[in-house]
Amino acid sequence: MEILAALRDVDHQLSRRMAAWDSAWARRLLPPVEEAAEHTKLWWAATAAMAAGGGRRGRRAAAAGVTAMAMAELLSNGVVKKLVERRRPPKEWIPHSDVEDRPDSFSFPSGHTAAAVAFTAAVAPTWPWAGAACAVPTVLVAIERVHSGAHYPSDVAAGAAIGLSVAALARSAPRLVVRHLG
C-alpha cells in the first residue's frame, strides 16, 4: 500500500505542477488544442483530409483511425470511467480559468487521450507520414488535459494505454476473425 500512496502523491504533485505551468507558449497553444480535440473534431478533420487527399492508403488509414478512436472512446468513456468513478483534480489546484470549463464526468481515464492515441496508433502502420503528423497534436492533447486540470497524469497515462491497446486490437481483429472462420 505504501507504493500506491507514493504513486498517488507523485500523481498529485505532477498535476499541481503542470496546472500551474504558466508560459506564453502554453497560453497560446493549449486552448486551441483543447477546442480542436473536443468531440474529436481534430480527428474527424484528419480523417477527412486523409480520405480526400491520400488515395487508397489515405482512406485505409482514415478508416483504421476512426475505428480505433470509436473503440477507445467506448471503452474509456463508456466502461472504465463508470467502473472507476475517480473525481477530477480539485479546483483549488488549478490557478487559471480553464478549471471552469472542465467536464462534469469522472476523471479516470482520459477519454480525449485514449481517442487521440488510438487514432494516431491506428493510422501510423498504414500511413507512417500521417501517423507522424498526428503524433504532435496527440502529445499536445495529453499535455492539455493535465494543464487544464481536467485530469491527473495517471488518467492520461491510462488513456494512452487504452488507446494503444485498442489500436493493436483494431489492427489484428480482422486477421483473428479470418483465422477462426477459415
Side-chain angles (χ1 to χ4, degrees):
M1 285 309 234
E2 288 181 31
I3 293 173
L4 290 178
L7 288 173
R8 186 191 68 235
D9 290 346
V10 168
D11 202 29
H12 290 184
Q13 288 172 7
L14 283 172
S15 294
R16 289 182 184 145
R17 259 198 167 136
M18 286 186 71
W21 177 42
D22 187 29
S23 75
W25 177 87
R27 283 191 305 277
R28 272 194 314 273
L29 187 59
L30 294 180
V33 167
E34 190 275 331
E35 176 61 30
E38 199 63 31
H39 305 294
T40 63
K41 290 183 280 198
L42 177 62
W43 312 117
W44 284 107
T47 297
M50 286 187 288
R56 184 168 187 247
R57 180 168 57 175
R59 288 187 297 277
R60 282 185 29 233
V66 167
T67 301
M69 178 180 69
M71 290 170 57
E73 284 201 311
L74 177 64
L75 182 59
S76 63
N77 295 333
V79 178
V80 180
K81 275 189 194 284
K82 292 175 183 354
L83 292 173
V84 176
E85 296 185 351
R86 182 182 195 185
R87 297 207 182 282
R88 298 205 181 258
K91 286 186 175 186
E92 54 272 8
W93 290 6
I94 317 304
H96 47 77
S97 62
D98 288 352
V99 73
E100 300 306 322
D101 294 334
R102 297 185 317 168
D104 294 329
S105 61
F106 292 113
S107 180
F108 186 90
S110 168
H112 284 83
T113 304
V117 170
F119 184 89
T120 301
V123 165
T126 303
W127 196 2
W129 182 90
C134 290
V136 173
T138 294
V139 169
L140 291 174
V141 165
I143 291 168
E144 184 282 327
R145 301 314 293 160
V146 178
H147 183 265
S148 69
H151 291 284
Y152 294 97
S154 59
D155 300 339
V156 170
I162 288 170
L164 287 171
S165 300
V166 163
L169 178 63
R171 186 156 175 81
S172 63
R175 289 188 300 262
L176 294 173
V177 169
V178 168
R179 265 191 222 148
H180 288 308
L181 293 177

